[in-house]
Amino acid sequence: MLVVTAHPDDVDFGAAGTMAAFTSAGVEVTYCIVTNGDAGGSDREMSRADMAALRQDEQRAAAAAVGVRDVRFLGHPDGMVQPTLELRRDVSRVIRQVRPERVVTQSPERNWSSIFASHPDHLAAGEAAVCAVYPDSRNPFAHPELLDVEGLEPWHVSELWIMGPAAADPSAQAFGIAVDTSATVERKVEALLSHRSQIPDPDAVAERVREWARDQAARAGLPDGSSAELFRVTRIP
Ligand SMILES: [Zn+2]
């Protein structure tokens, strides 16, 4: 299973409870983070190179909190992500290396009810990941250097999961799934709080994450007090 996101901490907000559930069940999970998060934080004294290194360390710690050991950074500049052919190739390379059944990524569609979720880097990373899943990683003639120079055989991803509920079309929720994270929500909190440079008030963030998880569960019709994360799933023949 491979997760592709724009920034360190994106996977933790959207899917860390689910990742903890999968790794507990023995599934190997790899994170592919498009940027190093070097435009993050508010400390103007810190060099951007130091911030990038710090955020990589924080993301590795967050991954470890939910049982993920393989974290790869593509090093595209934070705040400037575009769904270019170069980024599609870079994500396709990781897909062909990892050979996941399932790819989880961010929505390429703007969600007008959550402007933070629709950061332009998220939209671009999601779009590039979707293009890498289909058609690039399965087509031997896409990014030919991957096969010809690097020897990476095409790979067919069978499931695409988009983090969050479907944005604009409530009827499409029927095609969404809810992962019950009641048993793992505290590991999600621990993962999120690993991003210390981004979180001035850890208690407030922890409480907001628990509350959000309960809201997601209620929305999915799970019993009172449950926690959940929502995804929109596409199966790819
Ligand atoms: Zn982000």
Side-chain angles (χ1 to χ4, degrees), residues 5-11 13 35 55 78 106 116-117 119 121-122:
T5 62
H7 308 121
D9 81 16
D10 292 343
V11 59
F13 275 106
T35 76
R55 295 203 70 191
D78 187 4
Q106 294 168 297
F116 295 134
H119 186 294
D121 284 356
H122 298 181

Side-chain angles (χ1 to χ4, degrees), residues 38 40 42-52 54 197:
D38 41 294
S42 53
D43 183 352
R44 296 194 201 175
E45 302 302 313
M46 184 182 278
S47 80
R48 293 298 93 189
D50 287 351
M51 178 58 80
L54 175 61
S197 67

